[in-house]
Amino acid sequence: MKTKLRVVFRRTNDKTAQARAWLAHHFDLNCDKMPGCTNNKQVWHLMAGTTKQEIYDLYVQWCEAPDGVGREQVISCKYFLRVWAKEFPHVTIPEKGRFKMCST
């Protein structure tokens, strides 16, 4: 009995590529690149208190803008977060600001 081998190639579609490019640009503009990282690991921080949902909402607003790519190009929030986790694991949102408040 002959078996057919089915090879599946996972291509990045335009929506994913667009979201990845938007994230890269957003992170480049809005992250603090932390100095003194060890083992050649990059650590980038977004502003403390920002939520991932807020970042996704900015992405959706950009897509829907007159000069954006259009609403049909928007990926789901769940998939957006997967792209973020896979492609940009070094970008985090700290729980608190880097600088502590003085008690005086």
Side-chain angles (χ1 to χ4, degrees):
M1 181 173 169
K2 257 187 171 178
T3 13
K4 289 185 181 180
L5 294 177
R6 185 174 165 202
V7 179
V8 178
F9 295 100
R10 297 193 82 181
R11 288 187 310 160
T12 302
N13 66 26
D14 292 339
K15 291 180 186 182
T16 304
Q18 191 66 46
R20 185 182 303 119
W22 185 90
L23 279 165
H25 181 71
H26 182 77
F27 293 154
D28 191 48
L29 293 177
N30 297 292
C31 284
D32 291 328
K33 285 82 174 175
M34 309 305 340
C37 299
T38 58
N39 299 330
N40 295 325
K41 283 190 172 183
Q42 296 178 326
V43 177
W44 294 10
H45 285 175
L46 286 166
M47 185 170 48
T50 306
T51 66
K52 291 183 177 185
Q53 181 63 49
E54 290 171 340
I55 304 300
Y56 177 73
D57 292 343
L58 289 172
Y59 159 73
V60 171
Q61 287 174 7
W62 175 81
C63 287
E64 293 175 340
D67 58 343
V69 294
R71 178 73 178 141
E72 63 279 352
Q73 292 297 314
V74 176
I75 60 175
S76 71
C77 185
K78 184 177 179 178
Y79 190 63
F80 181 85
L81 295 177
R82 284 200 322 207
V83 171
W84 182 339
K86 182 180 178 191
E87 302 291 331
F88 304 97
H90 59 283
V91 177
T92 61
I93 302 171
E95 290 182 26
K96 296 181 181 177
R98 292 187 335 239
F99 305 104
K100 294 187 178 188
M101 300 281 255
C102 293
S103 60
T104 57

